[in-house]
């Protein structure tokens, strides 16, 4: 297979990006003797051909990568717009199996993507609590789990505990207790909150360690990733998105705009 044939194939397939990555590794890292001894199956001739392609066509490679990135961004934008539209026309679908509170009418829905170990989420919780106290007859609040496990080791265990409390109808009480006791997140706190809320402890412990808890939280995380959400807290109110430890006045302004 000659260089031009390889080039055409790489440009027409997503494998092209992998080839560029492989070549980059060869340029900046190189293959170690240990890898060769372990039986590195890559063809040295093919490696050299890929490197030759990169050397001879740098601009084309950059353009191809940029085109791929643009395609990914367009796909993300389409997914976001589709979800936001669905949220307006069919709020029940957007809420799904997530715990919700406030107005049963679901005319105005506030989705909260949050992490129980995130300090900004704890600050936002205070604002959301004040906001819902004023507008619970008008706004439906729904919670989506988005534990940032790479930086918050207790985020997932806390989310599982909250999900288990939800199975006994005590999600919102448990949710508030987790944020209020955020500095003490850990097994002792999870059990203590469950006892204070008079949960059936055997069921609570079984539920939070069940595959169903993992699956439910994973579903929320997948949605957050599909929407391109990168941090917490993140909110969507009837199609309008906002994030961070928002002030009450800002949330009131957003409510006014979506109520028109």
């Amino acid at each position: 297979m000659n260089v031009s044939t390889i080039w055409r194939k790489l440009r027409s397939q997503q494998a092209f990006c992998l080839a560029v990555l492989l070549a980059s590794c060869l340029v900046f890292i190189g293959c170690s003797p240990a890898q060769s001894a372990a039986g590195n199956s890559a063809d040295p001739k093919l490696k050299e051909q890929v490197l030759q392609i990169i050397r001879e066509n740098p601009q084309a490679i950059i353009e191809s990568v940029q085109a791929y990135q643009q395609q990914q961004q367009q796909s993300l934008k389409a997914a976001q717009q589709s979800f936001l539209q669905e949220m307006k026309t069919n709020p029940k679908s957007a809420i799904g199996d997530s715990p919700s509170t406030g107005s049963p009418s679901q005319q105005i829905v506030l989705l909260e993507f949050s992490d129980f170990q995130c300090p900004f989420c704890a600050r936002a919780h205070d604002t959301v609590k004040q906001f819902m106290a004023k507008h619970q007859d008008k706004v439906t609040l729904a919670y989506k789990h988005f534990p940032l496990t790479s930086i918050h080791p207790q985020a997932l265990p806390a989310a599982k505990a909250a999900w288990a409390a939800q199975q006994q109808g005590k999600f919102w009480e448990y949710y508030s207790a987790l944020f209020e006791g955020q500095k003490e997140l850990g097994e002792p706190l999870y059990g203590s909150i469950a006892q204070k809320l008079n949960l059936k402890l055997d069921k609570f412990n079984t539920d939070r360690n069940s595959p169903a808890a993992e699956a439910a939280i994973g579903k929320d995380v997948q949605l957050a990733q599909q929407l391109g959400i990168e941090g917490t807290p993140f909110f969507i109110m009837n199609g309008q998105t906002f994030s961070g430890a928002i002030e009450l006045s800002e949330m009131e302004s957003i409510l006014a705009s979506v109520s028109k």
Side-chain angles (χ1 to χ4, degrees), residues 231-247:
T232 56
F234 188 92
F235 301 92
I236 307 175
M237 190 189 301
N238 274 38
Q240 284 205 31
T241 63
F242 51 101
S243 61
I246 190 168
E247 297 294 331

Side-chain angles (χ1 to χ4, degrees), residues 94-155:
I95 294 171
D97 297 325
S98 298
S100 62
T101 187
S103 173
S105 69
Q106 299 181 354
Q107 293 299 307
I108 297 176
V109 175
L110 173 61
L111 293 186
E112 174 185 358
F113 288 82
S114 194
D115 171 326
F116 288 113
Q117 199 173 1
C118 167
F120 298 103
C121 293
R123 286 171 55 189
H125 166 68
D126 292 336
T127 302
V128 171
K129 188 175 181 180
Q130 296 175 58
F131 179 79
M132 289 304 298
K134 292 179 64 177
H135 303 289
Q136 59 184 333
D137 60 334
K138 187 176 183 180
V139 178
T140 305
L141 171 65
Y143 186 89
K144 300 287 185 181
H145 295 280
F146 193 27
L148 305 178
T149 55
S150 63
I151 56 175
H152 296 148
Q154 286 299 321

Side-chain angles (χ1 to χ4, degrees), residues 243-257:
S243 61
I246 190 168
E247 297 294 331
L248 180 61
S249 58
E250 295 177 76
M251 196 171 284
E252 295 276 6
S253 296
I254 294 170
L255 174 60
S257 68

Side-chain angles (χ1 to χ4, degrees), residues 7-191:
W7 175 243
R8 285 196 301 272
K9 284 184 174 293
L10 289 176
R11 289 202 67 178
S12 64
Q13 301 176 19
Q14 287 187 354
F16 164 74
C17 291
L18 296 178
V20 174
L21 181 60
L22 169 63
S24 298
C25 291
L26 289 171
V27 171
F28 294 108
I29 300 176
C31 294
S32 70
Q35 288 174 314
S36 297
N40 193 337
S41 60
D43 183 351
K45 186 176 180 180
L46 177 60
K47 292 178 184 177
E48 180 55 37
Q49 289 175 326
V50 172
L51 285 170
Q52 183 181 344
I53 291 168
I54 293 173
R55 286 192 293 265
E56 295 178 355
N57 304 273
Q59 187 57 39
I61 288 175
I62 292 172
E63 290 173 357
S64 295
V65 172
Q66 289 175 337
Y68 175 75
Q69 291 175 332
Q70 185 177 21
Q71 182 183 23
Q72 292 298 99
Q73 291 172 349
Q74 289 173 342
S75 297
L76 175 60
K77 187 174 182 180
Q80 291 172 335
Q81 290 177 337
S82 176
F83 181 81
L84 295 179
Q85 183 60 36
E86 178 74 7
M87 188 174 173
K88 290 180 180 180
T89 59
N90 187 10
K92 188 174 183 180
S93 175
I95 294 171
D97 297 325
S98 298
S100 62
T101 187
S103 173
S105 69
Q106 299 181 354
Q107 293 299 307
I108 297 176
V109 175
L110 173 61
L111 293 186
E112 174 185 358
F113 288 82
S114 194
D115 171 326
F116 288 113
Q117 199 173 1
C118 167
F120 298 103
C121 293
R123 286 171 55 189
H125 166 68
D126 292 336
T127 302
V128 171
K129 188 175 181 180
Q130 296 175 58
F131 179 79
M132 289 304 298
K134 292 179 64 177
H135 303 289
Q136 59 184 333
D137 60 334
K138 187 176 183 180
V139 178
T140 305
L141 171 65
Y143 186 89
K144 300 287 185 181
H145 295 280
F146 193 27
L148 305 178
T149 55
S150 63
I151 56 175
H152 296 148
Q154 286 299 321
L156 183 56
K160 289 181 176 180
W163 185 87
Q166 179 187 349
Q167 308 316 299
Q168 298 188 49
K170 294 292 182 71
F171 173 83
W172 295 106
E173 295 89 340
Y174 204 96
Y175 151 97
S176 291
L178 283 175
F179 279 127
E180 290 164 6
Q182 189 180 72
K183 294 181 180 180
E184 300 173 5
L185 290 180
E187 284 302 309
L189 180 65
Y190 305 145

